């Protein structure tokens, strides 16, 4: 007891002599930055590819730590995880509450987003949200903060709309299924959701644009928050933010022209003619047949007589030399083109090397199919020269645009991400095969699925990004 009293008497001196580590120091000592992100099936968190992920990765690189992502079903849950100190940073993709609760702190805004009415088909797209009668046709996510934010923005009658405890992603699925008439969502959310829910239609905009930014805990220890603020100031001054916005918009413009209705029509009218060939060639080369089919659709729209200005032709759009070296007698013969394309894809994958882990190996292989093995090698060398990891797709993805001028520089990136979107749609079409989350099957080597990391808590998926 005496020793305890003596320790208490000297506690201030001990605290000065052995100060508690700051939040920034604790993050750096742990080697991990814990980040809460919203659940969204349209986002491949494991790939760390879009603007939000790039910013996280760049910030983590500056701290010399990795990123662990923890998914939340709604903005309310995401902010609760931050409040409970389960994560260090929250990254909402919806407008922040205004004002934020006093125990939270917003980092500098780096993007804006617009709220829209979303319905199934054209029904209800002209709803007047100032009308109480019209508002009854909408179910609004209470947990994503729409009612409070739009009420403060001047749309007072929004409070008459029925609310739901579900997050916006779940409400979009209910709209698509016809279970509810309409909801409110952000434009980018709807664009992603339409890749798997094509019946959704974007209606009128609602309220002013909202701010997108990271959120941290508002405490006396602001060491991490000051680093975040400095990072965004530097990112704006260096042009990184402008570059990411331009890149994001350029890719989004390309994806906007993807004819999803045409793809679904092709599933019913074209794919049945070639599916057996895709399955056979895939089995022979250890490739998921749907990856071959997705690649072929990106290349030729499943047109056996397609031709490109650069001399490629056929269903798999092979050059004459490549088709000949892969044993294809005629590039315009669909079956021969599929067999040759599968052999070429398997050869490119072998060239990438066994040392490259999945899914990066599949993504690099798809890039090589577009830009050629030499082009991929130059991009990987550029990554190597700047001290990065040439075996990781996110880093090679950043280097590829430097190989070509203007829009052409982004072509291999667009190619890979388009194939992956078509692959996802094909995987969702009909009964999934055993290897539904893998591009190459076990014969060609194991591949990691997007949610291979262990779950950190019930209902929350954890994804890690290694920094390079």
């Amino acid at each position: 007891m005496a020793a305890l009293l003596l320790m208490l008497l000297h506690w201030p001196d001990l605290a000065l002599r052995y100060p508690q580590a700051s939040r920034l120091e604790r993050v750096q000592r742990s080697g991990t930055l814990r980040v809460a992100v919203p659940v969204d099936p349209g986002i491949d968190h494991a790939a760390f590819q879009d603007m939000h992920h790039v910013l996280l990765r760049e910030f983590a690189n500056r701290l010399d730590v990795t990123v662990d992502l923890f998914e939340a079903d709604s903005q309310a849950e995401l902010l609760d995880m931050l409040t409970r100190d389960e994560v260090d940073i929250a990254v909402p993709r919806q407008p922040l509450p205004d004002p934020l609760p006093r125990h939270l702190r917003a980092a500098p805004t780096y993007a804006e987003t617009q709220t829209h009415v979303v319905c199934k088909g054209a029904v209800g797209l002209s709803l007047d949200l100032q009308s109480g009668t019209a508002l009854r046709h909408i179910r609004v996510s209470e947990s994503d903060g729409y009612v409070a934010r739009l009420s403060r923005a001047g749309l007072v009658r929004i409070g008459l709309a029925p609310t739901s405890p579900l997050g916006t992603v779940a409400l979009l699925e209910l709209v698509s299924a016809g279970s509810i008439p309409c909801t409110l969502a952000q434009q980018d959310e709807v664009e992603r959701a339409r890749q798997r829910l094509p019946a959704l239609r974007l209606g009128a905009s609602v309220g002013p644009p909202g701010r997108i930014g990271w959120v941290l805990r508002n405490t006396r220890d602001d060491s991490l928050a000051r680093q975040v603020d400095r990072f965004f100031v530097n990112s704006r001054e260096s042009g990184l933010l402008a570059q990411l916005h331009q890149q994001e918009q350029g890719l989004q413009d390309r994806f906007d022209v993807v004819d999803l209705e045409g793809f679904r029509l092709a599933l019913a009218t074209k794919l049945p003619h070639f599916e057996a060939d895709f399955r056979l060639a895939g089995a022979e080369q250890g490739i998921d047949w749907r990856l071959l089919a997705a690649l072929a659709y990106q290349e030729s729209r499943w047109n056996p007589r397609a031709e490109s200005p650069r001399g490629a032709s056929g269903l798999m759009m092979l050059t004459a030399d490549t088709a000949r070296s892969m044993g294809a007698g005629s590039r315009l013969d669909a079956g021969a083109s599929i067999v040759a394309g599968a052999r070429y894809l398997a050869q490119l994958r072998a060239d990438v090397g066994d040392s490259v882990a999945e899914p990066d190996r599949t993504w690099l292989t798809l890039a090589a199919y577009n830009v050629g093995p030499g082009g991929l090698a130059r991009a990987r060398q550029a990554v190597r020269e700047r001290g990065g990891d040439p075996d990781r797709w996110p880093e090679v993805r950043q280097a590829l645009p430097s190989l070509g001028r203007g829009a052409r520089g982004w072509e291999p990136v667009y190619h890979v991400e388009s194939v992956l979107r078509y692959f996802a749609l094909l995987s969702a079409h009909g009964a999934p095969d055993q290897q539904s989350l893998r591009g190459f099957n076990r014969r060609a080597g194991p591949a990691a699925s997007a949610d291979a990391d262990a779950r950190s808590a019930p209902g929350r998926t954890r994804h890690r990004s290694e920094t390079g």
Side-chain angles (χ1 to χ4, degrees):
M1 180 64 73
L4 179 60
L5 288 174
L6 186 62
M7 181 179 293
L8 290 174
L9 286 173
H10 291 281
W11 184 259
D13 294 336
L14 292 173
L16 289 174
R17 188 173 300 178
Y18 304 104
Q20 184 179 5
S22 69
R23 178 168 293 274
L24 175 62
E25 290 171 333
R26 291 199 298 273
V27 168
Q28 291 178 313
R29 288 178 184 177
S30 71
T32 301
L33 182 70
R34 304 167 302 164
V35 181
V37 293
V39 169
D40 190 331
I43 301 172
D44 184 359
H45 287 306
F48 275 67
Q49 292 176 340
D50 69 5
M51 175 177 67
H52 308 279
H53 288 120
V54 170
L55 287 170
L56 280 172
R57 189 173 63 244
E58 290 297 319
F59 179 64
N61 280 338
R62 299 193 183 200
L63 301 185
D64 195 24
V65 298
T66 60
V67 179
D68 266 6
L69 297 185
F70 298 83
E71 294 180 338
D73 289 325
S74 67
Q75 187 178 95
E77 183 184 356
L78 182 139
L79 296 180
D80 283 345
M81 292 170 66
L82 184 62
T83 301
R84 295 191 297 267
D85 205 19
E86 296 175 6
V87 294
D88 305 300
I89 295 174
V91 182
R93 291 176 180 244
Q94 293 170 331
L96 296 171
D98 188 16
L100 271 175
R102 294 184 61 182
H103 63 278
L104 299 178
R105 166 177 176 163
T109 299
Y110 65 89
E112 288 189 341
T113 183
Q114 180 63 58
T115 302
H116 285 262
V117 175
V118 188
C119 305
K120 182 178 182 179
V123 178
L125 293 184
S126 60
L127 288 176
D128 178 9
L129 296 191
Q130 297 294 347
S131 165
T133 303
L135 286 169
R136 295 172 190 160
H137 295 283
I138 294 181
R139 298 294 183 274
V140 182
S141 171
E142 185 176 14
S143 55
D144 280 336
Y146 282 107
V147 173
R149 187 178 64 83
L150 293 175
S151 293
R152 292 192 185 94
L155 194 64
V156 179
R157 296 183 68 88
I158 194 70
L160 299 174
T163 59
S164 169
L166 298 176
T168 301
V169 169
L171 289 181
L172 289 173
E173 293 173 349
L174 292 179
V175 170
S176 178
S179 302
I180 60 176
C182 304
T183 189
L184 298 180
Q186 303 309 300
Q187 181 173 350
D188 59 334
E189 283 182 306
V190 180
E191 289 168 348
R192 288 192 302 272
R194 287 192 72 243
Q195 301 296 320
R196 58 192 179 89
L197 306 172
L200 295 178
R201 292 293 180 269
L202 198 68
S205 61
V206 181
R211 302 177 296 116
I212 299 292
W214 297 358
V215 185
L216 299 90
R217 296 180 74 208
N218 189 20
T219 64
R220 293 179 63 184
D221 178 2
D222 63 350
S223 55
L224 182 61
R226 283 187 283 109
Q227 285 290 326
V228 170
D229 291 348
R230 188 176 299 122
F231 168 71
F232 277 103
V233 169
N234 292 340
S235 297
R236 191 166 277 107
E237 291 177 347
S238 68
L240 173 62
L241 278 178
Q243 177 186 346
L244 290 176
H245 279 293
Q246 182 180 13
Q247 167 186 329
E248 195 84 357
Q249 187 59 50
L251 288 174
Q252 187 61 57
D253 288 344
R254 300 297 297 271
F255 288 132
D256 284 344
V257 303
V258 173
D259 182 3
L260 292 175
E261 300 300 333
F263 178 75
R264 293 182 181 277
L265 179 63
L267 283 177
T269 60
K270 291 185 176 182
L271 183 60
H273 298 292
F274 312 120
E275 183 173 332
D277 290 316
F278 284 129
R279 287 181 179 273
L280 182 60
E284 289 177 347
Q285 300 301 326
I287 304 173
D288 189 316
W289 73 270
R290 288 164 302 184
L291 184 68
L292 280 179
L295 175 60
Y297 188 82
Q298 167 62 19
E299 292 288 342
S300 69
R301 294 303 189 264
W302 294 332
N303 175 9
R305 308 193 71 80
E307 296 182 2
S308 82
R310 291 190 283 271
S313 65
L315 200 75
M316 302 299 292
M317 293 299 280
L318 301 171
T319 64
D321 288 343
T322 299
R324 191 180 307 111
S325 66
M326 295 296 118
S330 171
R331 288 182 289 168
L332 300 184
D333 179 279
S337 181
I338 290 171
V339 169
R343 290 174 180 169
Y344 184 48
L345 194 65
Q347 177 179 297
L348 291 172
R349 184 175 187 274
D351 291 342
V352 168
D354 294 335
S355 63
V356 181
E358 291 288 2
D360 297 88
R361 190 176 183 184
T362 294
W363 293 330
L364 294 175
T365 300
L366 292 173
Y369 196 98
N370 175 264
V371 79
L376 178 65
R378 289 194 297 275
R380 296 178 76 184
Q381 180 60 30
V383 172
R384 192 178 290 109
E385 288 173 356
R386 67 187 186 201
D389 185 349
D391 292 347
R392 296 192 63 248
W393 165 247
E395 299 196 43
V396 176
R397 180 185 188 272
Q398 287 186 308
L400 279 167
S402 64
L403 301 179
R405 295 181 178 180
R408 174 59 185 161
W410 286 104
E411 194 65 32
V413 176
Y414 167 72
H415 169 85
V416 172
E417 297 184 357
S418 293
V419 172
L420 293 177
R421 283 174 182 242
Y422 293 131
F423 178 50
L425 288 169
L426 280 164
S427 298
H429 174 70
D433 285 356
Q434 185 178 4
Q435 297 293 329
S436 61
L437 291 178
R438 294 168 169 85
F440 291 82
N441 67 24
R442 291 173 186 166
R443 177 179 161 195
S449 66
D451 58 354
D453 288 321
R455 291 189 177 274
S456 58
R460 293 181 193 150
T461 305
R462 175 182 168 202
H463 302 282
R464 167 163 289 194
S465 168
E466 300 295 335
T467 56

